[in-house]
Amino acid sequence: GQSLEQPSEVTAVEGAIVQINCTYQTSGFYGLSWYQQHDGGAPTFLSYNALDGLEETGRFSSFLSRSDSYGYLLLQELQMKDSASYFCVLNSGGYQKVTFGTGTKLQVIP
Amino acid sequence: DARVTQTPRDKVTEMGQEVTMRCQPILGHNTVFWYRQTMKQGLELLAYFRNRAPLDDSGMPKDRFSAEMPDATLATLKIQPSEPRDSAVYFCASANGLAGNYEQYFGPGTRLTVT
């Protein structure tokens, strides 16, 4: 099976940079994606890494290292609205089954 | 703009009653997912379909839960009989399976409370 580990909570200051790490165990997978979920809302897609390296989308970047079974989401120029939970997700299996991590609750403080 | 819709948004029912949740995926998306989210268990994949055929429902308690896609515009999740431990937010999501399942579009969820 698959498993993913993320820190449960992270606090960062408005305007700063924060990195949310994700380590995983799997026998094989297509890629690692990231989702954001605000309290009371639905998850929304942020980013996807099929290959090793960095993917940049505006203030958000995501990184994958298959050799290290590790990825991270980098948020720059933090804003108060970035306070939310962030999930790393494995995309694997013959039918591209998805497995969500436990989520990291990010609190941005002034 | 295209979005996934779910009904009802909130449901309060008594233990033992049947509950039916509905989902309309984005037009053109051929993969549909059902998730359950609780504080304790997080976001769990219950079942998913491609081209209306069930691919994996291993996350679903088979004795009381059932999921179907009567047509390409409707997915249903039924619980019969419901139990208090089924209280959770149930999300439906859809994806363009041809492009991969990594970019899923989630509906607003159905908040189920079983008393």
Side-chain angles (χ1 to χ4, degrees):
Chain A
Q2 295 96 31
S3 66
L4 302 104
E5 285 192 20
Q6 306 176 232
S8 58
E9 293 181 351
V10 171
T11 301
V13 178
E14 187 178 16
I17 299 173
V18 70
Q19 178 173 311
I20 298 174
N21 297 321
C22 173
T23 57
Y24 58 84
Q25 288 187 332
T26 181
S27 56
F29 70 110
Y30 291 98
L32 190 74
S33 53
W34 290 88
Y35 283 74
Q36 177 191 61
Q37 185 180 27
H38 287 98
D39 284 348
T44 56
F45 172 78
L46 289 177
S47 184
Y48 176 68
N49 293 75
L51 304 174
D52 282 6
L54 195 66
E55 292 284 339
E56 297 180 73
T57 309
R59 294 187 298 114
F60 295 178
S61 302
S62 58
F63 173 83
L64 176 64
S65 169
R66 288 175 180 263
S67 60
D68 295 323
S69 297
Y70 165 72
Y72 66 73
L73 179 69
L74 192 74
L75 296 82
Q76 302 181 73
E77 300 173 17
L78 279 173
Q79 303 176 7
M80 299 300 291
K81 67 178 182 179
D82 296 330
S83 293
S85 292
Y86 293 85
F87 296 88
C88 58
V89 185
L90 275 178
N91 188 252
S92 60
Y95 293 111
Q96 295 194 32
K97 182 173 181 175
V98 292
T99 305
F100 274 72
T102 52
T104 298
K105 190 171 181 67
L106 170 65
Q107 183 182 14
V108 180
I109 58 176
Chain B
D1 60 329
R3 60 184 66 186
V4 176
T5 59
Q6 290 185 247
T7 56
R9 294 292 306 275
D10 282 282
K11 176 72 176 179
V12 180
T13 191
E14 292 183 347
M15 182 174 64
Q17 296 299 305
E18 177 178 303
V19 175
T20 299
M21 290 169 271
R22 293 177 173 80
C23 166
Q24 182 172 12
I26 291 173
L27 191 64
H29 282 186
N30 67 345
T31 309
V32 175
F33 304 80
W34 282 106
Y35 293 91
R36 174 172 64 184
Q37 188 172 37
T38 60
M39 291 294 293
K40 188 176 180 181
Q41 297 294 333
L43 200 59
E44 304 172 277
L45 177 64
L46 297 176
Y48 70 108
F49 295 76
R50 175 161 293 167
N51 297 324
R52 297 175 55 200
L55 292 187
D56 190 333
D57 60 1
S58 59
M60 205 163 63
K62 302 290 193 306
D63 57 338
R64 299 183 299 108
F65 284 57
S66 63
E68 296 180 343
M69 281 201 73
D71 61 59
T73 64
L74 177 65
T76 62
L77 180 66
K78 291 186 181 181
I79 307 174
Q80 169 63 24
S82 57
E83 297 181 0
R85 60 178 167 155
D86 301 329
S87 297
V89 179
Y90 290 80
F91 288 105
C92 171
S94 71
N96 179 349
L98 294 177
N101 290 339
Y102 60 87
E103 185 170 1
Q104 299 181 26
Y105 293 79
F106 281 73
T110 294
R111 181 174 299 276
L112 174 65
T113 304
V114 183
T115 61

